[in-house]
Amino acid sequence: MTRPLSDDDLRAMMTHMIGARVSSQRAFNLQRQGRAGTNAPIDGSEAIVVGAARALDPTADWVLPQYREPVALQRFGPEVLESYVRYILGDPDGGHIPEPVRVWPPQISLATQVPHAVGMAWGMKRTGETGCALVFLGDGSTSEGDFYEAANFAGVLRAPVIFVVVNNGWAISTPVASQTAAKNFAAKSHAFGFPGTTVDGTDILAVYEVVSEARERAVSGAGPTLIEAVTYRLAPHTTADDPTRYMPDDELVAARGRDPLTRFQKELSGRGLWSDDDTTRAEADADAVMEAAIQAAEADRANPIELFDHVHAIRTTRLERQRREWIDHYGEDPR
Ligand SMILES: Cc1ncc(C[n+]2csc(CCOP(=O)(O)OP(=O)(O)O)c2C)c(N)n1
Ligand SMILES: [Mg+2]
């Protein structure tokens, strides 16, 4: 049974979607200003992450993100965004989020979070914990061996895990049509022996519904579910990408017309639960939260020279030479 959403839940979901987009766009701008490293905008996937998070229990379930999702996981605590900001600003320990927050660090090496999620879920089952692990992975990540190995294992062990494949149409410049010959990504679940379903990833209420059902299956011992959430990437792959070189203009224009934020805003306005003033306020609040996170992270920056300390236990001759060159060029502490 899906838990009904209260008006407060609905408004929080809208607020979190707006917060995710604002944070993501600020992160993008920070990179352009030379203040942050490469990062991957969430634009287009907000309904998937916020809708899924709302269906989970932050005190009992775990989320294992890829790299776009952390800005939209406010439901799990402010620490998730704070650590993400530290991470893109180059703090060596920035992605780490201490318990009790149940969110793993962002994962760049594609699909490596998937075996972790299955192990986590299986461990919970073995120790009798009531909860599940939800893992986000992209359409491109489904081509990795880690995904097949982990999903197979999850089916055999009936692990309480939910696979959310964020199908945003692209894996950098590779379109989904070149990613798989399968009819869709949900169909892959049949080979693993558990159900798979495709949901409109621009419809936050539909996402909430399917993830709620998947969680119910997981915690009742019925095993894993694969959810393919379909959307479109509305921003460059990362700050290092130029999508105008490969993304058809008409596709992007059409996708902007199905923006998940606009869609939910219309839905809530129609129910008398949201106004333009609410949008303005949510944007300003998100901006202030992001500003505070940036200031805190910038005030506590790691010295980039630490780069040379964590490669080997004892620095090699070459590393020692590079370190000296670095100091000659930037000084001992360029912060
Ligand atoms: C193991 C591995 N291979 C290749 C890459 C390079 N790479 C980074 S992102 C990406 C595309 C991933 O696409 P998808 O899983 O659809 O996620 P999206 O970026 O669309 O959210 C690739 C190939 C990587 N990070 N890790
Ligand atoms: Mg993708």
Side-chain angles (χ1 to χ4, degrees), residues 76-126:
F76 278 72
E79 296 88 346
V80 185
L81 180 68
E82 288 160 12
S83 81
Y84 179 72
V85 170
R86 285 177 184 277
Y87 167 73
I88 63 167
L89 260 60
D91 182 339
D93 198 32
H96 176 70
I97 309 165
E99 279 196 66
V101 178
R102 294 179 163 236
V103 176
W104 280 38
Q107 196 52 260
I108 304 288
S109 190
L110 295 182
T112 49
Q113 72 278 21
V114 191
H116 292 158
V118 174
M120 190 81 199
W122 186 34
M124 290 167 90
K125 183 173 173 173
R126 283 175 63 92

Side-chain angles (χ1 to χ4, degrees), residues 2 5 9-18 20 44-55 72 74 199-212 229-231 258-268 271:
T2 304
L5 292 164
D9 287 330
L10 295 167
R11 288 174 52 83
M13 288 158 79
M14 187 71 245
T15 305
H16 287 173
M17 283 169 91
I18 292 172
S45 298
E46 295 91 342
I48 300 168
V49 185
V50 174
R54 187 58 46 175
Q74 299 101 318
V199 65
D200 180 347
T202 69
D203 182 348
I204 192 167
L205 298 177
V207 173
Y208 173 76
E209 191 82 24
V210 294
V211 178
S212 296
V230 183
T231 185
R258 300 189 302 271
D259 187 318
L261 268 67
T262 318
R263 179 171 183 166
F264 196 45
Q265 238 160 281
K266 277 192 192 143
E267 169 73 28
L268 292 192
R271 299 192 197 184

Side-chain angles (χ1 to χ4, degrees), residues 282-316:
E283 285 173 352
D285 289 351
D287 202 57
V289 167
M290 189 63 180
E291 184 59 36
I294 295 165
Q295 300 249 337
E298 283 189 330
D300 185 29
R301 260 181 189 283
N303 186 347
I305 202 162
E306 282 181 29
L307 274 176
F308 299 99
D309 295 338
H310 303 296
V311 184
H312 299 289
I314 301 168
R315 282 196 289 273
T316 59

